[in-house]
Amino acid sequence: MESGGIAIVTGASSGLGEAFARELAGASAGTARYRGLPAFDELWLVARRADRLDSLAAELCRAAPGLTVRAVASDLVAGGAVESLAAKAAETTKPLRVLVNNAGYGTYGDLDDTDTARLLGQVDLNCRALTECCARFSRLLTRGSIVVNVASLAAFAPLGGFAAYAASKAYALSLSVGLAAEWKARGITVCALCPGPVATEFSLVASAGARKEVKHGWPAVKTARACLRDAISGAWISMPRPIWRLRRLAGWLAGPELSASFAYRFMKRPSVPSRPDV
Ligand SMILES: NC(=O)c1ccc[n+]([C@@H]2O[C@H](COP(=O)([O-])OP(=O)(O)OC[C@H]3O[C@@H](n4cnc5c(N)ncnc54)[C@H](OP(=O)(O)O)[C@@H]3O)[C@@H](O)[C@H]2O)c1
């Protein structure tokens, strides 16, 4: 692998983002797993929890001595955050070779029971910040660069009891595939990762503590690994598990009305009502 480029992972303090960061650091240390991955010699880890980023950065620096790993504590929905991140990346004058737009969260439960600020924060992060990252980092991408946008299996069908999250991921998928078409001529691959359940802190956050673990979650490292391979091969959508592809098909066959009603009735997700007035 040649050197001289940046890889950025957002939401790198836990779950899928942490797994992507570990895989990318391993790749830069010379594992043969990712033949065709564009070259980079800096890995930026972005999220809000600085302590977690610092310890992961220290660990990855030790594991991959030739790689500069930077912990960048940033709240991506804060005003000017993405702009300043892109400005810092531009200052290095290095091309952005890999961008993993992974930061995101959900809110389980009825919209009526959900604190409006949490609800809108989710849309802000999953949709607005994602779009801003694509827009502001675009000029730093070069031929051969890879962008992974983390959407979800929930992108393919509306879900009662998880309505705003599914809608936000439908947006993420649509944006990603649209950009894949636009940036193909620039030689840039854009891949939307659409996983089903993955074992991360997702449920803990989405349920406001009511469910500690993602039910039937697939290992994050396997998901990240399969996605990177798919992205390197030029795929626009990555759904590594056959069961996830089957569920996508089932949602398509059922149609949006039945999918939403079925999910609301039979796939209840635990939540702690978080409306201040509840
Ligand atoms: N786990 C699943 O079953 C599943 C399935 C489909 C899709 N996904 C998607 O996968 C992505 C990663 O989630 P995960 O499952 O790995 O959950 P997670 O373990 O909760 O990770 C979420 C990451 O996003 C970061 N984040 C949250 N708000 C942020 C903000 N305002 N600014 C910057 N970073 C922020 C968190 O870091 P800080 O809290 O430190 O900021 C954390 O690193 C999300 O987009 C999620 O929607 C997950």
Side-chain angles (χ1 to χ4, degrees):
M1 180 183 287
E2 323 148 20
S3 61
I6 309 177
I8 296 179
V9 180
T10 71
S13 61
S14 65
L16 270 168
E18 181 181 334
F20 272 112
R22 288 182 186 283
E23 288 306 298
L24 289 171
S28 81
T31 53
R33 185 172 286 137
Y34 301 114
R35 212 174 294 283
L37 189 72
F40 56 89
D41 59 4
E42 284 193 31
L43 174 60
W44 291 22
L45 312 177
V46 182
R48 291 167 303 176
R49 287 170 292 182
D51 52 337
R52 288 210 188 189
L53 294 180
D54 286 341
S55 58
L56 180 61
E59 183 194 324
L60 297 183
C61 274
R62 283 193 298 276
L67 185 69
T68 303
V69 186
R70 294 191 181 180
V72 186
S74 173
D75 179 347
L76 293 174
V77 301
V82 176
E83 193 176 0
S84 105
L85 200 60
K88 274 186 207 146
E91 272 167 25
T92 67
T93 69
K94 292 180 182 179
L96 180 54
R97 306 302 282 148
V98 182
L99 172 62
V100 181
N101 289 312
N102 160 79
Y105 75 91
T107 51
Y108 288 163
D110 289 17
L111 186 131
D112 285 345
D113 294 335
T114 310
D115 174 60
T116 309
R118 254 188 99 216
L119 193 71
L120 295 182
Q122 166 190 227
V123 177
D124 252 9
L125 182 62
N126 300 0
C127 304
R128 194 198 58 79
L130 170 69
T131 310
E132 191 177 0
C133 284
C134 291
R136 295 204 187 274
F137 286 119
S138 170
R139 68 194 172 93
L140 305 180
L141 299 165
T142 54
R143 184 162 286 279
S145 293
I146 284 177
V147 179
V148 171
N149 292 320
V150 180
S152 170
L153 172 62
F156 295 101
L159 300 173
F162 208 15
Y165 177 74
S168 75
K169 290 301 181 177
Y171 176 91
L173 172 64
S174 181
L175 176 78
S176 190
V177 178
L179 279 180
E182 289 183 20
W183 290 352
K184 190 171 180 225
R186 293 172 59 192
I188 296 163
T189 299
V190 185
C191 180
L193 171 61
C194 297
V198 180
T200 67
E201 295 174 14
F202 183 86
S203 276
L204 188 70
V205 175
S207 67
R211 182 182 278 171
K212 303 278 177 265
E213 283 169 7
V214 175
K215 257 172 120 180
H216 312 300
W218 212 46
V221 65
K222 282 191 176 181
T223 312
R225 213 169 260 177
C227 174
L228 284 174
R229 285 208 198 98
D230 284 345
I232 290 166
S233 73
W236 289 10
I237 295 179
S238 171
M239 296 189 83
R241 297 192 77 190
I243 183 73
W244 296 344
R245 297 195 287 274
L246 203 64
R247 284 178 61 182
R248 172 187 177 182
L249 179 67
W252 180 75
L253 289 172
E257 298 94 333
L258 188 57
S259 291
S261 307
F262 182 88
Y264 192 50
R265 181 122 191 248
F266 299 109
M267 297 167 69
K268 279 276 181 217
R269 292 168 168 84
S271 63
V272 176
S274 57
R275 266 246 148 122
D277 53 339
V278 173

